[in-house]
Amino acid sequence: MPRPPASHGRTGRPPVTSRAEILTAARRLIDRDGWEKLTIRRLAAELGIGATTLYHHIRDKEDLLVQLLEHHISRLQRPQLPRDPRDRIVAAATAMHDALADWPWAAEVLTTDGFVGLLDESALWMVEAIVAGADDHGCTPEQSVHVFRSIWYYTVGEILVRAHTARRLTDEKLPVFRDSFDASQVPHLAAVSKRWRALAVRDTYAEGLRAFVDGLLARAASATSDGVG
């Protein structure tokens, strides 16, 4: 009778080979230590298995992060998207924002234009809804992609600024807000300096998104009518 494989890491636990357990452990590590510190070796130690076992389920760290994102998105409840193309774009972008705001590290992982090619089609429904909404509004394919990319930059930027600000606020050595400026050099900043912190922490994403989408669609319509783009 062959001997059972030697255990690694934690004792008293059977080897973990479930994809769901692997993803749960990876998310636990990210939530605790940050996604930058996630490695295959650390994940294997967290699970109490050998790294070789993990490679039956994942190719490398990038593949692991992509699987985590797809799993996260698959668990989200899809909103009922409006029929109006403009409202559909806003609703899909808001769903995208809310999904990433709960998991800011995901926004950092996806800060490349090529991330769409990494994710499974089932995880791209928000992207599809935005591009389709722009298309239904009368945008050309090029304009539709531009609409999505512009919204994506705005959304990711808002999420990362808020996440980084929250982290810096916990470190007294890294002040984020000032309450005074030299009025002779920056008079307008000086005038609002004491209110800056309160104004900066306001959640204005939804208001800005609607204005941004209206501007993008209006610009696209104008370019199309002029025979441009």
Side-chain angles (χ1 to χ4, degrees):
M1 180 176 181
R3 293 176 59 188
S7 61
H8 299 276
R10 297 179 179 179
T11 59
R13 297 176 59 187
V16 177
T17 56
S18 164
R19 176 176 176 272
E21 289 181 279
I22 291 172
L23 296 181
T24 298
R27 176 159 185 168
R28 186 165 61 244
L29 280 175
I30 290 174
D31 290 341
R32 188 176 70 208
D33 303 324
W35 71 273
E36 301 94 336
K37 295 183 179 179
L38 176 65
T39 65
I40 300 300
R41 186 182 297 274
R42 291 190 68 190
L43 178 57
E46 178 76 10
L47 291 165
I49 60 176
T52 303
T53 303
L54 288 177
Y55 288 114
H56 292 295
H57 299 271
I58 55 178
R59 293 190 302 274
D60 49 30
K61 180 178 177 178
E62 181 181 85
D63 182 48
L64 172 60
L65 293 172
V66 168
Q67 289 195 41
L68 277 166
L69 287 169
E70 291 176 344
H71 181 64
H72 177 60
I73 294 173
S74 71
R75 297 172 63 187
L76 300 176
Q77 183 175 2
R78 295 194 187 190
Q80 186 68 36
L81 296 177
R83 292 179 59 85
D84 178 74
R86 180 265 190 188
D87 293 341
R88 198 185 325 150
I89 293 172
V90 170
T94 300
M96 182 170 64
H97 171 273
D98 293 347
L100 293 176
D102 288 338
W103 230 11
W105 71 266
E108 297 205 39
V109 173
L110 297 177
T111 50
T112 61
D113 280 325
F115 84 88
V116 170
L118 299 176
L119 298 177
D120 184 77
E121 284 83 354
S122 62
L124 293 172
W125 64 267
M126 290 171 277
V127 180
E128 169 69 15
I130 293 173
V131 174
D135 182 71
D136 290 346
H137 194 272
C139 293
T140 66
E142 293 79 6
Q143 291 170 339
S144 297
V145 172
H146 174 68
V147 167
F148 166 72
R149 288 179 67 247
S150 299
I151 292 172
W152 173 246
Y153 289 176
Y154 169 64
T155 300
V156 170
E158 197 269 352
I159 290 170
L160 293 184
V161 167
R162 289 195 175 279
H164 292 168
T165 300
R167 286 203 296 267
R168 291 189 64 178
L169 284 174
T170 63
D171 190 339
E172 296 179 355
K173 297 180 181 179
L174 295 171
V176 178
F177 301 101
R178 290 171 55 183
D179 59 7
S180 64
F181 292 89
D182 185 346
S184 66
Q185 297 190 55
V186 285
H188 293 87
L189 286 177
V192 298
S193 59
K194 294 187 182 304
R195 300 175 56 211
W196 191 274
R197 181 188 181 106
L199 294 173
V201 298
R202 291 173 54 203
D203 183 1
T204 59
Y205 174 80
E207 178 183 353
L209 173 65
R210 290 191 291 270
F212 197 31
V213 170
D214 288 342
L216 288 169
L217 295 178
R219 184 178 179 85
S222 176
T224 300
S225 65
D226 293 338
V228 180

